[in-house]
Amino acid sequence: MQISDLPYPDPGVPDARSGPRFLLWLGRGQLGGQLKSLCWGMLHFSGIAGLPYAVGLGVDAVVDREPNRLLLVGALLLVIGVAISVGDAMLHRTAVTNWITAAARVQQLLARKTAELGSALTRRVAAGEVVAVSTGDVEKIGWFVEAVSRFLAAVFSVVLVCVGLLFFAPDLGVVVAVGVPLIALASLPLLPRATKRADIQREKAGKATELASDTVAGLRVLRGIGGEELFLGRYREASQEVRKAAVRSARMWALISAIQVVLPGALMITVVWYGATLVSDGRIAVGELVAAFSAVATLLYPLRHFEEIAMAYSFSRPSAKRAARVLSLTRTDAAERPARAEPVKAPAPGGDLYDPQTGLLAPAGRFTAVVCGDPDLAGRLAERLGGHPMDVAPAADAGAEGAAGAGAEAGAEAEAAVGAGAGTAAAPSVLLGGVALDELELDTARTLVLVQDKDPVLLSGTLRELFDVPASGTVDSAAALGAAQCADVLDALLQSAPDGVEDPMEARITERGRSLSGGQRQRLALARSLVTDPEVLVLDEPTSAVDSHTEARIADGIAALRAGRTTVVLASSPLLLDRADRVVLIDGDTVAAVGTHRELLHGEPRYRAVVTRETDEEQRLGGLELTELAEALTEIEESA
């Protein structure tokens, strides 16, 4: 794999059981690149290892006054120089290629996992951790992958130097052969402590990043309530904690670096002192002493790679652990089921959407509104209807029974849905046309059912780019913007656009749409969802941030634009509920009542309590008033 070939056609299926296993999997996927890098590294380091011996031979030739031999040594030095230069250039090229391709592979894996999990990712993993994994952690993992081949080449050169000295100058070679392993292993006792301090630093940095992200996201609110200084003070404290942890970590790594300088220096002094004694005794030649001294001096370079690989692994191991944690997440627990021999076929168009866990049924082609007393339940239900639930629990036919108890029509529909999904009603997966969504291919499931949550994200770019999403082509952007009542949003975007921009579709949206109000962002996100025109559209509180007049017009726009398409809206606004074809009340995780908004408002106290926000006392008094009114009507009828 070359950089020009990126991105990978398929980044593969990672081994995300642990951080080290993930690093090993990355290494196995780059064996070709690692071998190339290792070969060039061996050429480079072999030249470095051979340089001292060539210098020693040259000194001996000068001492012995042999010019022909000196010429041969000069030619040898030229060959060594070319080997060092070419090997170094190609080693750098291949090593950086390994780094970039490994980082690209991890980024592709993370992007794929993000697309698979969607908004559920940040509910399982903190937002700051996701940012850290996709930025700094990717670089650290790539660093380790890149450093492996250089380290192995450095090990080869160290062994080559030590073995060469044993043959070239045995007396000095023994000293070097004993001293070099001690130098290489001297830092090992300090690595656990250095790694622990580095982990503490990264943990504090992740918390500071998360705090900064939350502060920036809520800056407008913080300014409104005068709390920005309080949060800035918290961030200053967090950043100082990061600084202190970084200083403690740097001190340990500085100690390791000092050991890697002091011990080789001590070995060099020992070699020179002992070698000078051997030369004065006539036991070795001057050239042999020069070769031994040069060999020890050149060992400083490859020995640095021992320190680097230790640092790279200590930094990449927790990074790989975090990446593996994210990559190990699955859409649902059902993803752990045995793989099917053949992929499940998509259901035929026009199927009902049914949730066996709650008994919720959304008939095909109709506008269904869902009212939940628990806002958290509404969010979980929206995710489950999209085929990627967060809380998967077995459910029997209690939901269907609840629906049946709410009315004969609802019971018949629920039984039909259960019958359509025979054998799967007890499974947690939502059924579309009798087919479990979490058993479909991800792309197929996302095409069939689109979920817009309470806090949709607007990416930076032009408005035209915002609406450049996979769509059926039936609904254009103008119709979607009109249905979502975005006329004032277009005017606001044009006012803030640079001079010369007359088409609102070319106006730019800032990151996450921060220049817009909450209601404007919500309406743009709704228009984007309407453009996609999926078979089933699930909206979670799509108008919670707009005024009542706009909300009424949006409700009419959704009903008109989605006519003949299945739409599910989780809301408690009477304006939206009154436009729905049918309304479902969910109480205690099961369907409690089904009907129209007006029917439930007059006949279901639990529904009225959620929609009108009545207190218990108000419910009691309202019930008495309704009873008195019923008695009065009965008397009038009897007298008539």
Side-chain angles (χ1 to χ4, degrees):
M1 173 63 69
Q2 299 296 321
I3 296 177
S4 59
D5 298 327
L6 295 174
Y8 284 92
D10 180 10
V13 180
D15 185 349
R17 289 176 291 176
S18 66
R21 287 178 182 273
F22 179 60
L23 291 174
L24 182 60
W25 177 83
L26 276 179
R28 287 201 306 266
Q30 289 190 310
L31 286 178
Q34 293 288 358
L35 288 175
K36 287 181 182 178
S37 185
L38 178 59
C39 291
W40 289 116
M42 290 173 66
L43 176 63
H44 171 62
F45 283 105
S46 295
I48 293 176
L51 192 59
Y53 307 112
V55 172
L57 292 174
V59 172
D60 285 340
V62 171
V63 172
D64 297 339
R65 299 181 181 275
E66 295 181 4
N68 293 333
R69 186 178 164 194
L70 186 59
L71 287 175
L72 292 175
V73 172
L76 178 60
L77 286 172
L78 179 61
V79 171
I80 289 176
V82 171
I84 292 175
S85 300
V86 174
D88 188 26
M90 296 306 298
L91 171 62
H92 180 73
R93 178 186 178 89
T94 54
V96 171
T97 299
N98 289 336
W99 183 337
I100 294 176
T101 51
R105 186 190 293 270
V106 178
Q107 286 177 331
Q108 280 187 250
L109 291 170
L110 291 171
R112 186 174 67 182
K113 183 59 64 174
T114 301
E116 177 185 341
L117 297 178
S119 60
L121 176 62
T122 53
R123 283 195 286 273
R124 294 189 178 189
V125 183
E129 185 171 349
V130 175
V131 173
V133 170
S134 59
T135 54
D137 286 339
V138 168
E139 293 297 318
K140 293 180 178 69
I141 292 171
W143 176 28
F144 174 73
V145 172
E146 175 263 347
V148 168
S149 57
R150 290 190 289 109
F151 166 70
L152 294 176
V155 171
F156 171 78
S157 69
V158 169
V159 173
L160 191 63
V161 168
C162 293
V163 173
L165 275 179
L166 286 174
F167 287 97
F168 191 79
D171 293 330
L172 291 177
V174 172
V175 176
V176 175
V178 172
V180 168
L182 294 178
I183 295 172
L185 300 176
S187 302
L188 286 182
L190 299 177
L191 287 179
R193 183 175 299 180
T195 302
K196 182 178 179 180
R197 292 189 180 185
D199 289 345
I200 293 174
Q201 175 197 348
R202 282 187 290 272
E203 181 182 355
K204 292 182 178 295
K207 291 181 179 179
T209 301
E210 186 174 353
L211 178 60
S213 177
D214 292 343
T215 302
V216 172
L219 194 57
R220 179 181 300 206
V221 177
L222 291 175
R223 285 175 175 170
I225 62 176
E228 62 180 291
E229 284 300 325
L230 173 63
F231 276 80
L232 288 175
R234 292 180 180 177
Y235 179 74
R236 291 190 188 99
E237 294 177 1
S239 64
Q240 288 300 313
E241 290 294 325
V242 175
R243 182 188 64 80
K244 294 176 182 177
V247 169
R248 295 185 73 248
S249 177
R251 285 174 179 167
M252 186 57 62
W253 288 112
L255 177 59
I256 293 175
S257 298
I259 291 174
Q260 294 296 320
V261 173
V262 172
L263 293 185
L267 177 61
M268 188 179 299
I269 293 173
T270 302
V271 168
V272 172
W273 173 79
Y274 183 56
T277 302
L278 295 177
V279 170
S280 63
D281 293 342
R283 296 169 58 183
I284 64 173
V286 175
E288 293 176 338
L289 174 60
V290 172
F293 172 77
S294 301
V296 175
T298 56
L299 282 177
L300 293 176
Y301 174 60
L303 282 174
R304 280 200 221 103
H305 292 78
F306 286 70
E307 176 191 355
E308 182 188 9
I309 195 65
M311 291 183 65
Y313 180 72
S314 66
F315 278 88
S316 65
R317 182 182 56 80
S319 296
K321 181 180 178 181
R322 282 193 292 266
R325 177 169 175 249
V326 173
L327 295 175
S328 64
L329 299 176
T330 57
R331 281 174 64 196
T332 63
D333 291 346
E336 299 177 0
R337 298 172 182 170
R340 293 177 177 266
E342 296 181 1
V344 178
K345 294 182 179 179
D352 295 340
L353 184 70
Y354 176 69
D355 176 24
Q357 184 167 336
T358 60
L360 170 64
L361 175 71
R366 299 180 67 182
F367 183 178
T368 302
V370 180
V371 176
C372 299
D374 182 4
D376 293 334
L377 173 61
R380 295 194 301 270
L381 179 60
E383 292 291 340
R384 192 161 62 247
L385 292 177
H388 36 88
M390 293 300 98
D391 296 321
V392 179
D397 294 338
E401 292 172 0
E409 178 188 359
E413 291 174 336
E415 287 180 2
V418 174
T424 59
S429 174
V430 168
L431 307 178
L432 179 61
V435 178
L437 283 179
D438 66 359
E439 293 183 358
L440 294 172
E441 294 291 334
L442 179 61
D443 292 341
T444 304
R446 291 287 168 84
T447 302
L448 294 172
V449 183
L450 174 67
V451 178
Q452 177 181 306
D453 60 16
K454 293 180 181 178
D455 188 21
V457 176
L458 301 182
L459 301 179
S460 60
T462 64
L463 191 58
R464 191 180 307 279
E465 293 171 342
L466 179 69
F467 286 92
D468 185 16
V469 293
S472 66
T474 304
V475 180
D476 59 21
S477 58
L481 287 167
Q485 301 297 311
C486 293
D488 63 315
V489 184
L490 301 182
D491 294 338
L493 289 174
L494 276 180
Q495 290 177 3
S496 61
D499 296 337
V501 177
E502 299 180 355
D503 186 358
M505 298 300 292
E506 299 302 325
R508 293 195 65 82
I509 299 173
T510 57
E511 180 188 4
R512 299 181 68 90
R514 298 189 193 283
S515 60
L516 302 173
S517 67
Q520 291 173 331
R521 289 196 301 270
Q522 195 173 59
R523 282 177 282 161
L524 278 182
L526 174 60
R528 179 180 59 186
S529 299
L530 293 174
V531 163
T532 61
D533 189 37
E535 182 175 337
V536 178
L537 177 61
V538 180
L539 304 172
D540 186 8
E541 294 288 355
T543 58
S544 59
V546 300
D547 60 83
S548 58
H549 298 290
T550 304
E551 186 177 28
R553 293 194 293 270
I554 290 175
D556 291 334
I558 294 175
L561 196 62
R562 293 285 299 172
R565 307 287 270 172
T566 306
T567 306
V568 179
V569 177
L570 291 96
S572 58
S573 168
L575 295 172
L576 271 176
L577 299 172
D578 194 39
R579 266 70 171 182
D581 297 327
R582 65 199 302 270
V583 180
V584 179
L585 171 65
I586 294 184
D587 183 49
D589 292 339
T590 58
V591 171
V594 179
T596 65
H597 168 62
R598 297 177 188 273
E599 291 172 351
L600 296 178
L601 191 64
H602 291 90
E604 179 55 61
R606 290 172 294 180
Y607 178 83
R608 187 169 59 250
V610 175
V611 174
T612 63
R613 275 72 167 178
E614 287 183 345
T615 63
D616 294 340
E617 182 64 21
E618 289 172 335
Q619 289 185 51
R620 187 182 66 81
L621 294 176
L624 291 176
E625 292 175 358
L626 290 174
T627 302
E628 293 171 357
L629 178 60
E631 292 176 352
L633 289 174
T634 302
E635 292 177 359
I636 293 174
E637 291 176 354
E638 291 176 350
S639 62

